[in-house]
């Protein structure tokens, strides 16, 4: 049985956004930091690589999140 996934276009978040997959160190989706470091843009879905997360090894949208979120180190610079 096939289950249709909700289509995901681009998503953009302020670099200080907490609790969203796109700004989490463990998210394995396509993302980039905006010029000046103030935003994070993400496209499509990615894999959760956090073994403490209920979404571990599952595909997630950039706007999803979990209570075990950890800030992506690339946003600290």
């Amino acid at each position: 049985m096939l289950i249709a996934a909700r289509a995901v276009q681009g998503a953009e978040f302020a670099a200080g956004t907490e609790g969203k997959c796109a700004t989490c160190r463990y998210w394995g989706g396509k993302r980039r930091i905006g010029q000046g470091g103030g935003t994070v843009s993400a496209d499509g879905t990615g894999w959760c690589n956090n073994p403490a997360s209920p979404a571990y090894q599952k595909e997630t949208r950039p706007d999803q999140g979990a209570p075990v979120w950890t800030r992506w180190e690339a946003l600290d610079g």
Side-chain angles (χ1 to χ4, degrees):
M1 175 164 103
L2 293 177
I3 299 174
R6 190 171 94 180
V8 177
Q9 301 295 320
E12 187 168 290
F13 302 92
T17 301
E18 296 183 4
K20 299 296 181 183
C21 291
T23 61
C24 181
R25 75 176 293 191
Y26 294 103
W27 193 62
K30 183 178 176 183
R31 58 188 169 176
R32 62 207 156 278
I33 298 172
Q35 190 171 13
T39 60
V40 175
S41 298
D43 297 320
T45 59
W47 292 96
C48 177
N49 296 301
N50 184 348
S53 174
Y56 180 55
Q57 295 184 337
K58 295 179 183 162
E59 198 169 29
T60 63
R61 297 184 320 269
D63 62 340
Q64 284 180 249
V68 293
W69 174 90
T70 303
R71 184 174 176 79
W72 182 27
E73 299 91 342
L75 299 175
D76 293 335

